[in-house]
Amino acid sequence: MVFTASPSPLMQSNSSFAPSSSSRFSFSTTPSYCAFPPRRIATPRTGPSPAQAQAQAQAKEAKLWGGRFKEGVTDAVERFTESISFDKQLYKQDIKGSRAHASMLAHQGLISESDRDSILEGLEKIERRIENGEFSWRADREDVHMNIEAALTDMIGEPAKKLHTARSRNDQVQTDFRLWCRDAIDGILVSMKQLQVSLLTLALRNEGLIVPGYTHLQRAQPVLLQHLLLAYVEEIERDAGRLVDCRARMNFCPLGACALAGTGLPIDRFMTSEALGFTAPLRNSIDAVSDRDFVLEFLSANAITAVHLSRLGEEWVLWASEEFGFITPSDSVSTGSSIMPQKKNPDPMELVRGKSARVIGDLVTLLTLCKGLPHAYNRDLQEDKEPVFDSVKTILGMLEVSAEFALNISFNLERIQKALPAGHLDATTLADYLVNKGVPFRTSHDIAGKSVALCTLKNCQLLDLSLDELRSINPVFEEDVYDFLGVENAIQKFVSYGSTGSACVASQIEYWMKKLEME
């Protein structure tokens, strides 16, 4: 049998994939309606001559590190290696570190006080120009450090060339990055507290509201809504604690470690460390420039926070569905459908759930980046900035919109009340009743289970069973059993520390109001 087919675009463009004349298959040369037009073969472009390349290289600004090089880098290399497009975010920290370094150099007699003053004045002008949008960031100056130093040299001349004394870009970037991460943590902690306040405000608005508690996404026991909301407040508090711990460990100064081995010049690393608000200088100069564990810990803390927020988002997305109907988001935090006019979607919390993947991915990127690097500094580490910037921006957005959403939802009391009877949420409380009567828990569990089975057969609630029906299962039951049945009674029977009992939850509310300064 012979099959006839039109040639694929791949076969048209690459003869090495075409069948030979001896093939069992023959291909028609008539193009089908979906065939691509023949590809034009472009004439290869020739690069500049050696003389032209040398002239182009000489026309570029000489690199600050270019003393031993006869040629400049190509445009492709320059584009590929620049980091100014993203690390210019570090300008405040870079200028702050340079101020501290210049002051230390003058104190140690490595530069004159006059040079120090010129440097400090020039840095102040550059900072103002950046903040006013008047600073020209140049890709040929590679990164934020070289841009600022080159601009300072253009501005004040020779004194600027002394600023890099006893300093490498390796320790400089580490210092800038630690300062930036430290500032970012402070900002995230503020947003975390704002979300906690929003959740506690929502809890205060819904005092006494009982909702079904779930395990395995199956109805389990009744809980106070306040208790559930405070669970998220507790999780965020631990998230904040991880960031506080991370901040304490990252708050050590790399400045003065230079490239990796330190310096033979008489610098005072303790002076610069104190000026920048660090706890102390890092003890080992190789460790100071080569490790990024402070970033990994930061991104790990962010990832855990993102997972907590994603779970909150998932719960509220479910509760806003027609199937649950427990909450109604206001129009101000909802979106509609482009085709279905009836839709009202809790999109912000869906995106909170979705964006958690980005934050987790940023952590995985950094872990993968660092796993195979030898000591000390390697250029691969230039790639550590963007995932961190993305993680911080994303987690701040997630925290902000979650707080906003919490303040713009209402709980549908009637729907929740109708939902509460389903699932025999008081069965465990019934077992506790039996334990109080001296029945071993495993036996109590069995008796309560048989009681639920009878309810299922009769299509009723435990509270609806007569005393005779309960005694038919086990004679231990007395009239006081009805004080334990029904979700309202069940809630009142929880007395253990940290439980959903009304008194315990009231104590939790009081604790968090004091801690969050809401009184």
Side-chain angles (χ1 to χ4, degrees):
M1 182 181 294
V2 177
F3 295 87
T4 301
S6 300
S8 72
L10 179 62
M11 291 179 178
Q12 288 178 348
S13 62
N14 193 331
S15 59
S16 64
F17 287 91
S20 67
S21 58
S22 59
S23 171
R24 295 176 56 239
F25 303 94
S26 65
F27 291 82
S28 169
T29 58
T30 304
S32 69
Y33 71 93
C34 62
F36 291 107
R39 189 177 67 180
R40 294 182 179 179
I41 307 299
T43 304
R45 295 182 178 179
T46 58
S49 67
Q52 290 174 323
Q54 185 175 7
Q56 290 174 5
Q58 288 173 347
K60 294 179 181 178
E61 180 179 74
K63 302 292 185 185
L64 296 180
W65 44 259
R68 61 95 65 209
F69 292 84
K70 294 180 180 179
E71 298 178 4
V73 298
T74 67
D75 290 341
V77 169
E78 191 142 78
R79 287 192 301 270
F80 188 69
T81 58
E82 66 83 21
S83 60
I84 190 59
S85 56
F86 54 85
D87 70 13
K88 59 187 176 185
Q89 292 188 50
L90 301 173
Y91 79 89
K92 275 188 174 294
Q93 292 76 22
D94 194 72
I95 290 173
K96 185 175 183 178
S98 291
R99 284 175 177 145
H101 188 65
S103 297
M104 180 276 294
L105 291 177
H107 184 269
Q108 296 301 105
L110 292 168
I111 64 173
S112 69
E113 291 185 1
S114 174
D115 287 341
R116 175 202 61 197
D117 293 343
S118 295
I119 290 170
L120 295 180
E121 183 180 351
L123 289 171
E124 184 178 353
K125 290 179 180 177
I126 289 172
E127 185 171 24
R128 282 202 305 267
R129 285 171 55 192
I130 294 172
E131 291 175 347
N132 293 335
E134 299 167 355
F135 189 84
S136 177
W137 297 104
R138 291 177 48 170
D140 62 333
R141 289 177 174 175
E142 299 181 28
D143 57 29
V144 62
H145 326 290
M146 303 295 260
N147 264 266
I148 291 174
E149 186 178 338
L152 185 65
T153 303
D154 293 342
M155 183 181 295
I156 67 171
E158 204 65 22
K161 297 180 180 180
K162 301 177 182 180
L163 177 58
H164 211 55
T165 303
R167 185 173 72 170
S168 163
R169 274 195 292 176
N170 295 356
D171 61 333
Q172 186 179 1
V173 68
Q174 271 275 49
T175 303
D176 293 357
F177 205 20
R178 284 176 184 259
L179 289 171
W180 190 93
C181 290
R182 194 176 71 182
D183 293 342
I185 286 175
D186 293 342
I188 292 172
L189 289 172
V190 171
S191 291
M192 284 180 166
K193 183 176 180 180
Q194 290 171 345
L195 175 56
Q196 288 177 306
V197 168
S198 294
L199 290 168
L200 187 53
T201 300
L202 185 62
L204 292 170
R205 291 176 182 171
N206 293 276
E207 183 178 0
L209 178 58
I210 301 171
V211 297
Y214 294 84
T215 62
H216 308 277
L217 208 55
Q218 305 296 316
R219 289 164 182 258
Q221 291 179 277
V223 297
L224 288 171
L225 174 64
Q226 290 182 322
H227 193 54
L228 177 59
L229 294 173
L230 289 178
Y232 285 107
V233 174
E234 294 280 356
E235 289 173 354
I236 296 163
E237 185 68 12
R238 289 195 299 276
D239 294 334
R242 272 183 282 272
L243 287 177
V244 170
D245 291 344
C246 173
R247 189 188 192 284
R249 267 184 292 278
M250 85 168 45
N251 199 39
F252 289 84
C253 187
L255 197 57
C258 298
L260 78 162
T263 179
L265 297 171
I267 62 172
D268 186 347
R269 293 188 62 207
F270 288 87
M271 179 180 175
T272 48
S273 175
E274 183 178 356
L276 294 170
F278 286 110
T279 304
L282 284 158
R283 283 188 296 267
N284 185 292
S285 62
I286 296 175
D287 175 60
V289 299
S290 64
D291 207 347
R292 292 296 188 274
D293 56 0
F294 71 96
V295 177
L296 294 172
E297 185 176 5
F298 184 18
L299 294 189
S300 176
N302 280 354
I304 295 171
T305 301
V307 169
H308 283 152
L309 297 177
S310 180
R311 295 183 69 185
L312 174 64
E314 169 69 3
E315 194 145 78
W316 281 351
V317 167
L318 283 174
W319 282 22
S321 68
E322 291 292 341
E323 285 68 25
F324 276 79
F326 288 179
I327 66 171
T328 301
S330 72
D331 291 353
S332 62
V333 292
S334 304
T335 64
S337 166
S338 63
I339 189 172
M340 296 169 285
Q342 83 282 9
K343 294 293 296 298
K344 184 177 181 181
N345 302 322
D347 277 11
M349 298 314 293
E350 291 180 48
L351 279 172
V352 165
R353 188 177 60 191
K355 284 180 181 291
S356 65
R358 290 180 66 136
V359 182
I360 295 166
D362 290 329
L363 170 60
V364 173
T365 297
L366 257 294
L367 287 167
T368 308
L369 175 71
C370 293
K371 73 174 184 63
L373 295 183
H375 283 76
Y377 179 80
N378 298 272
R379 190 64 180 267
D380 313 50
L381 292 173
Q382 176 175 297
E383 294 298 301
D384 62 358
K385 311 295 182 306
E386 289 180 287
V388 175
F389 295 157
D390 181 73
S391 175
V392 170
K393 180 181 177 182
T394 305
I395 206 73
L396 284 170
M398 292 170 70
L399 288 164
E400 180 183 15
V401 81
S402 297
E404 191 84 3
F405 199 87
L407 296 176
N408 287 278
I409 59 175
S410 58
F411 286 86
N412 302 324
L413 305 186
E414 185 177 349
R415 183 71 174 264
I416 292 170
Q417 287 292 334
K418 288 181 178 179
L420 281 171
H424 308 291
L425 302 180
D426 48 356
T428 305
T429 312
L430 178 61
D432 289 343
Y433 164 82
L434 294 168
V435 169
N436 286 330
K437 292 292 185 181
V439 179
F441 177 75
R442 284 302 172 198
T443 305
S444 299
H445 186 286
D446 183 66
I447 294 170
K450 289 177 179 177
S451 301
V452 169
L454 179 58
C455 287
T456 302
L457 186 65
K458 292 174 57 66
N459 192 27
C460 68
Q461 301 302 308
L462 288 167
L463 188 62
D464 299 327
L465 294 176
S466 69
L467 186 58
D468 288 340
E469 287 172 323
L470 288 170
R471 283 177 171 168
S472 70
I473 298 170
N474 193 291
V476 73
F477 287 108
E478 299 179 14
E479 191 69 36
D480 60 350
V481 67
Y482 294 103
D483 294 336
F484 286 76
L485 298 180
V487 293
E488 290 82 3
N489 285 334
I491 286 290
Q492 298 306 319
K493 297 303 179 183
F494 288 101
V495 295
S496 63
Y497 177 79
S499 73
T500 196
S502 299
C504 186
V505 171
S507 176
Q508 294 176 43
I509 291 284
E510 182 181 1
Y511 168 83
W512 281 110
M513 286 187 69
K514 288 180 180 178
K515 187 171 182 64
L516 298 174
E517 301 171 311
M518 292 178 62
E519 290 185 319

Coordinates of all heavy atoms in Angstrom, one line a residue, residues 84-143:
I84 N 21.8 46.0 35.9 CA 21.2 47.3 36.3 C 19.7 47.4 36.1 O 19.0 48.1 36.8 CB 21.9 48.5 35.5 CG1 21.5 49.8 36.1 CG2 21.6 48.4 34.1 CD1 21.8 50.0 37.6
S85 N 19.2 46.6 35.1 CA 17.8 46.6 34.8 C 16.9 46.2 36.0 O 15.8 46.6 36.1 CB 17.5 45.7 33.6 OG 17.9 44.4 33.9
F86 N 17.5 45.5 37.0 CA 16.8 45.1 38.2 C 17.4 45.4 39.5 O 16.8 45.7 40.5 CB 16.5 43.6 38.2 CG 17.6 42.7 38.0 CD1 18.4 42.3 39.1 CD2 18.0 42.2 36.7 CE1 19.5 41.4 38.9 CE2 19.1 41.3 36.6 CZ 19.8 41.0 37.7
D87 N 18.8 45.5 39.5 CA 19.4 45.7 40.8 C 19.5 47.2 41.2 O 20.0 47.6 42.3 CB 20.8 45.1 40.9 CG 21.9 45.7 40.1 OD1 21.7 46.8 39.5 OD2 22.9 45.0 39.9
K88 N 19.0 48.1 40.3 CA 18.9 49.5 40.7 C 18.0 49.7 41.8 O 18.1 50.8 42.5 CB 18.5 50.4 39.5 CG 17.2 50.0 38.9 CD 17.0 50.9 37.6 CE 15.7 50.5 36.9 NZ 15.5 51.2 35.6
Q89 N 17.2 48.7 42.2 CA 16.4 48.8 43.4 C 17.2 49.0 44.6 O 16.7 49.4 45.7 CB 15.5 47.6 43.5 CG 14.4 47.4 42.5 CD 13.5 46.3 42.8 OE1 13.0 46.2 43.9 NE2 13.2 45.4 41.8
L90 N 18.5 48.6 44.5 CA 19.4 48.6 45.7 C 20.1 49.9 45.9 O 21.0 50.1 46.7 CB 20.5 47.5 45.6 CG 20.0 46.1 45.4 CD1 21.2 45.2 45.1 CD2 19.3 45.6 46.7
Y91 N 19.6 51.0 45.2 CA 20.4 52.2 45.2 C 20.5 52.8 46.6 O 21.6 53.3 47.0 CB 19.9 53.2 44.2 CG 18.6 54.0 44.6 CD1 18.7 55.2 45.3 CD2 17.4 53.5 44.4 CE1 17.6 55.9 45.8 CE2 16.2 54.2 44.8 CZ 16.4 55.4 45.5 OH 15.3 56.1 45.9
K92 N 19.4 52.8 47.3 CA 19.5 53.4 48.7 C 20.5 52.7 49.6 O 21.2 53.3 50.3 CB 18.1 53.4 49.3 CG 17.2 54.5 49.0 CD 15.9 54.5 49.8 CE 15.0 55.7 49.5 NZ 15.7 56.9 50.0
Q93 N 20.4 51.4 49.5 CA 21.3 50.6 50.3 C 22.8 50.7 49.9 O 23.7 50.8 50.7 CB 20.9 49.1 50.3 CG 19.6 48.8 51.0 CD 18.4 49.2 50.2 OE1 18.4 49.4 49.0 NE2 17.2 49.4 50.9
D94 N 23.0 50.9 48.5 CA 24.3 51.0 48.0 C 24.9 52.4 48.5 O 26.1 52.4 48.9 CB 24.3 51.0 46.5 CG 25.7 50.8 45.9 OD1 26.3 49.7 46.0 OD2 26.2 51.8 45.4
I95 N 24.1 53.4 48.4 CA 24.6 54.7 48.8 C 24.8 54.7 50.3 O 25.8 55.3 50.8 CB 23.6 55.8 48.4 CG1 23.6 56.0 46.9 CG2 23.9 57.1 49.1 CD1 22.6 56.9 46.3
K96 N 23.9 54.1 51.1 CA 24.1 54.0 52.5 C 25.4 53.3 52.9 O 26.2 53.8 53.8 CB 22.9 53.3 53.2 CG 22.9 53.2 54.7 CD 21.6 52.6 55.2 CE 21.5 52.6 56.7 NZ 20.3 52.0 57.2
G97 N 25.7 52.2 52.2 CA 26.9 51.5 52.5 C 28.2 52.3 52.1 O 29.2 52.2 52.8
S98 N 28.1 53.0 51.0 CA 29.2 53.8 50.6 C 29.5 55.0 51.5 O 30.6 55.3 51.8 CB 29.0 54.4 49.2 OG 29.0 53.3 48.2
R99 N 28.4 55.5 52.1 CA 28.6 56.6 53.1 C 29.4 56.0 54.3 O 30.3 56.7 54.8 CB 27.3 57.1 53.5 CG 26.6 58.1 52.5 CD 25.2 58.5 53.0 NE 24.6 59.4 52.1 CZ 23.3 59.5 51.8 NH1 22.5 58.6 52.4 NH2 22.8 60.4 51.0
A100 N 29.0 54.9 54.8 CA 29.6 54.3 56.0 C 31.0 53.9 55.6 O 32.0 54.1 56.5 CB 28.8 53.1 56.4
H101 N 31.3 53.4 54.4 CA 32.6 53.0 54.1 C 33.6 54.2 53.9 O 34.7 54.2 54.4 CB 32.6 52.2 52.7 CG 33.9 51.6 52.3 ND1 34.4 50.6 53.0 CD2 34.7 51.9 51.3 CE1 35.6 50.2 52.4 NE2 35.7 51.0 51.4
A102 N 33.1 55.3 53.3 CA 33.9 56.5 53.2 C 34.2 57.1 54.5 O 35.4 57.5 54.7 CB 33.1 57.5 52.3
S103 N 33.3 57.1 55.4 CA 33.5 57.7 56.7 C 34.6 56.8 57.5 O 35.5 57.4 58.2 CB 32.2 57.7 57.6 OG 31.3 58.6 56.9
M104 N 34.5 55.5 57.3 CA 35.5 54.6 58.0 C 36.9 54.8 57.4 O 37.9 54.9 58.1 CB 35.0 53.2 57.8 CG 36.0 52.2 58.5 SD 37.4 51.7 57.4 CE 36.5 50.8 56.1
L105 N 36.9 55.0 56.0 CA 38.3 55.2 55.4 C 38.9 56.4 55.9 O 40.1 56.5 56.1 CB 38.1 55.2 53.9 CG 37.7 53.9 53.2 CD1 37.4 54.2 51.7 CD2 38.7 52.8 53.4
A106 N 38.1 57.5 56.1 CA 38.7 58.8 56.6 C 39.1 58.6 58.0 O 40.2 59.1 58.4 CB 37.7 59.9 56.4
H107 N 38.3 57.9 58.8 CA 38.7 57.7 60.2 C 40.0 56.9 60.4 O 40.7 57.2 61.3 CB 37.5 57.0 60.9 CG 37.7 56.8 62.4 ND1 38.3 55.6 62.9 CD2 37.4 57.5 63.4 CE1 38.4 55.7 64.2 NE2 37.8 56.9 64.6
Q108 N 40.2 56.0 59.5 CA 41.4 55.2 59.5 C 42.6 55.9 58.8 O 43.7 55.3 58.7 CB 41.1 53.8 58.9 CG 40.1 53.0 59.6 CD 40.5 52.7 61.0 OE1 40.0 53.3 62.0 NE2 41.5 51.8 61.2
G109 N 42.4 57.0 58.2 CA 43.5 57.7 57.6 C 43.8 57.2 56.2 O 44.8 57.5 55.6
L110 N 42.9 56.4 55.6 CA 43.1 55.9 54.3 C 42.7 56.9 53.2 O 43.1 56.8 52.0 CB 42.3 54.6 54.1 CG 42.9 53.4 55.0 CD1 42.0 52.2 55.0 CD2 44.3 53.0 54.5
I111 N 41.8 57.8 53.5 CA 41.5 58.9 52.6 C 41.4 60.2 53.5 O 41.3 60.1 54.7 CB 40.1 58.8 51.8 CG1 38.9 58.7 52.8 CG2 40.2 57.5 51.0 CD1 37.6 58.7 52.1
S112 N 41.5 61.3 52.9 CA 41.5 62.6 53.7 C 40.0 62.9 54.0 O 39.1 62.4 53.4 CB 42.1 63.7 52.9 OG 41.3 64.1 51.8
E113 N 39.9 63.8 55.1 CA 38.5 64.2 55.4 C 37.9 65.0 54.3 O 36.7 65.0 54.1 CB 38.6 65.0 56.7 CG 39.0 64.2 57.9 CD 38.9 65.0 59.2 OE1 38.6 66.2 59.2 OE2 39.2 64.4 60.3
S114 N 38.7 65.8 53.6 CA 38.3 66.5 52.4 C 37.7 65.6 51.4 O 36.6 65.9 50.8 CB 39.4 67.4 51.9 OG 39.0 68.0 50.7
D115 N 38.4 64.5 51.1 CA 37.9 63.6 50.1 C 36.6 62.9 50.6 O 35.6 62.7 49.8 CB 38.9 62.5 49.8 CG 40.1 63.0 49.0 OD1 39.9 64.0 48.3 OD2 41.2 62.3 49.0
R116 N 36.6 62.6 51.9 CA 35.3 62.0 52.5 C 34.2 63.0 52.3 O 33.1 62.6 51.8 CB 35.5 61.7 53.9 CG 34.3 61.2 54.7 CD 34.4 61.5 56.1 NE 34.5 62.9 56.4 CZ 34.9 63.4 57.6 NH1 35.2 62.6 58.6 NH2 35.0 64.7 57.8
D117 N 34.4 64.2 52.6 CA 33.3 65.2 52.5 C 32.8 65.4 51.0 O 31.6 65.5 50.8 CB 33.7 66.6 53.0 CG 34.0 66.5 54.5 OD1 33.5 65.6 55.2 OD2 34.7 67.5 55.0
S118 N 33.8 65.3 50.1 CA 33.4 65.4 48.7 C 32.5 64.2 48.3 O 31.6 64.3 47.5 CB 34.6 65.5 47.8 OG 35.3 66.7 48.0
I119 N 33.0 63.0 48.7 CA 32.3 61.8 48.4 C 30.8 61.8 49.0 O 29.9 61.5 48.3 CB 33.0 60.6 49.0 CG1 34.3 60.4 48.1 CG2 32.2 59.3 48.9 CD1 35.3 59.4 48.7
L120 N 30.7 62.2 50.3 CA 29.4 62.2 50.9 C 28.5 63.3 50.2 O 27.3 63.0 50.0 CB 29.6 62.6 52.4 CG 30.3 61.5 53.2 CD1 30.4 62.0 54.7 CD2 29.7 60.2 53.1
E121 N 29.0 64.4 49.9 CA 28.2 65.4 49.2 C 27.8 64.9 47.8 O 26.6 65.1 47.4 CB 29.0 66.7 49.1 CG 28.2 67.9 48.5 CD 29.1 69.1 48.3 OE1 30.2 69.2 48.9 OE2 28.6 70.1 47.7
G122 N 28.7 64.3 47.1 CA 28.3 63.8 45.8 C 27.3 62.7 45.9 O 26.3 62.6 45.1
L123 N 27.4 61.8 46.9 CA 26.4 60.7 47.0 C 25.1 61.2 47.4 O 24.0 60.7 46.9 CB 26.9 59.7 48.1 CG 28.1 58.8 47.8 CD1 28.6 58.1 49.1 CD2 27.8 57.9 46.7
E124 N 25.0 62.3 48.2 CA 23.7 62.9 48.5 C 23.1 63.5 47.2 O 21.9 63.3 47.0 CB 23.9 64.0 49.5 CG 22.6 64.7 50.0 CD 22.9 65.7 51.1 OE1 24.0 65.9 51.5 OE2 21.9 66.4 51.4
K125 N 23.9 64.1 46.4 CA 23.3 64.7 45.1 C 22.8 63.6 44.2 O 21.7 63.7 43.6 CB 24.4 65.5 44.4 CG 24.7 66.8 45.1 CD 25.8 67.6 44.4 CE 26.1 68.9 45.1 NZ 27.2 69.6 44.4
I126 N 23.6 62.5 44.1 CA 23.2 61.4 43.3 C 21.9 60.8 43.8 O 21.0 60.4 43.0 CB 24.3 60.3 43.2 CG1 25.5 60.8 42.4 CG2 23.8 59.0 42.6 CD1 26.7 60.0 42.4
E127 N 21.7 60.6 45.1 CA 20.5 60.0 45.7 C 19.3 60.9 45.3 O 18.2 60.4 45.0 CB 20.7 59.9 47.2 CG 19.5 59.2 47.8 CD 19.7 58.8 49.3 OE1 20.6 59.5 49.9 OE2 19.0 57.9 49.8
R128 N 19.5 62.2 45.4 CA 18.4 63.1 45.1 C 18.0 63.0 43.6 O 16.8 63.0 43.3 CB 18.8 64.6 45.4 CG 18.7 64.9 46.9 CD 18.5 66.4 47.1 NE 19.6 67.2 46.5 CZ 20.7 67.6 47.1 NH1 20.9 67.2 48.4 NH2 21.7 68.2 46.5
R129 N 19.0 62.9 42.8 CA 18.7 62.8 41.3 C 18.0 61.5 41.0 O 17.1 61.5 40.2 CB 20.1 62.8 40.6 CG 20.6 64.3 40.4 CD 22.1 64.2 39.9 NE 22.1 63.5 38.6 CZ 23.2 63.1 38.0 NH1 24.4 63.4 38.5 NH2 23.2 62.5 36.8
I130 N 18.4 60.4 41.7 CA 17.7 59.2 41.5 C 16.2 59.3 41.9 O 15.3 58.9 41.2 CB 18.4 58.0 42.3 CG1 19.8 57.8 41.7 CG2 17.5 56.7 42.2 CD1 20.6 56.8 42.5
E131 N 16.0 59.8 43.1 CA 14.6 59.9 43.6 C 13.8 60.9 42.8 O 12.6 60.8 42.8 CB 14.7 60.3 45.1 CG 15.3 59.2 46.0 CD 15.5 59.6 47.4 OE1 15.4 60.8 47.7 OE2 15.7 58.7 48.2
N132 N 14.4 61.9 42.2 CA 13.7 62.8 41.4 C 13.5 62.3 39.9 O 12.9 63.0 39.1 CB 14.3 64.2 41.4 CG 14.3 64.9 42.7 OD1 13.4 64.6 43.5 ND2 15.3 65.7 43.0
G133 N 14.0 61.1 39.6 CA 13.9 60.6 38.3 C 14.8 61.2 37.3 O 14.6 61.2 36.1
E134 N 15.9 61.9 37.8 CA 16.8 62.6 36.9 C 18.1 61.9 36.6 O 19.0 62.4 35.9 CB 17.2 64.0 37.5 CG 15.9 64.9 37.7 CD 16.2 66.0 38.6 OE1 17.4 66.1 39.2 OE2 15.3 66.9 38.8
F135 N 18.3 60.7 37.2 CA 19.5 59.9 37.1 C 19.4 59.0 35.9 O 18.4 58.4 35.6 CB 19.7 59.1 38.3 CG 21.1 58.4 38.4 CD1 22.2 59.1 38.8 CD2 21.3 57.1 38.0 CE1 23.5 58.5 38.9 CE2 22.5 56.5 38.0 CZ 23.6 57.2 38.5
S136 N 20.5 59.0 35.1 CA 20.5 58.1 33.9 C 21.2 56.8 34.2 O 22.4 56.8 34.5 CB 21.3 58.9 32.8 OG 21.4 58.1 31.6
W137 N 20.4 55.7 34.2 CA 21.0 54.4 34.5 C 21.5 53.9 33.1 O 20.8 53.8 32.1 CB 19.9 53.5 35.0 CG 19.4 53.8 36.3 CD1 18.2 54.4 36.6 CD2 20.0 53.7 37.6 NE1 18.0 54.6 37.9 CE2 19.1 54.2 38.6 CE3 21.2 53.2 38.0 CZ2 19.4 54.2 39.9 CZ3 21.5 53.2 39.4 CH2 20.6 53.7 40.3
R138 N 22.8 53.4 33.1 CA 23.4 53.0 31.9 C 23.8 51.5 32.0 O 24.5 51.1 32.9 CB 24.7 53.8 31.7 CG 24.4 55.3 31.3 CD 25.7 56.1 31.2 NE 26.7 55.5 30.3 CZ 27.8 56.1 29.9 NH1 28.0 57.4 30.3 NH2 28.7 55.5 29.2
A139 N 23.3 50.8 30.9 CA 23.6 49.4 30.9 C 25.1 49.1 30.7 O 25.6 48.0 31.2 CB 22.8 48.7 29.8
D140 N 25.8 50.0 30.1 CA 27.3 49.7 29.9 C 28.0 49.8 31.2 O 29.2 49.5 31.2 CB 27.9 50.6 28.8 CG 27.8 52.1 29.1 OD1 26.9 52.5 29.9 OD2 28.6 52.9 28.6
R141 N 27.4 50.4 32.2 CA 28.0 50.4 33.5 C 27.6 49.2 34.4 O 27.8 49.2 35.6 CB 27.7 51.8 34.2 CG 28.5 52.9 33.5 CD 28.1 54.3 34.1 NE 29.0 55.3 33.5 CZ 28.8 56.6 33.7 NH1 27.9 57.1 34.6 NH2 29.7 57.5 33.2
E142 N 26.9 48.3 33.8 CA 26.6 47.0 34.4 C 25.6 46.9 35.5 O 24.6 46.3 35.4 CB 27.9 46.3 34.8 CG 28.9 46.1 33.7 CD 30.2 45.4 34.2 OE1 30.1 44.6 35.2 OE2 31.3 45.6 33.6
D143 N 26.0 47.5 36.6 CA 25.1 47.3 37.8 C 24.9 48.6 38.6 O 25.5 49.6 38.2 CB 25.7 46.2 38.7 CG 27.1 46.5 39.2 OD1 27.5 47.6 39.3 OD2 27.8 45.5 39.4

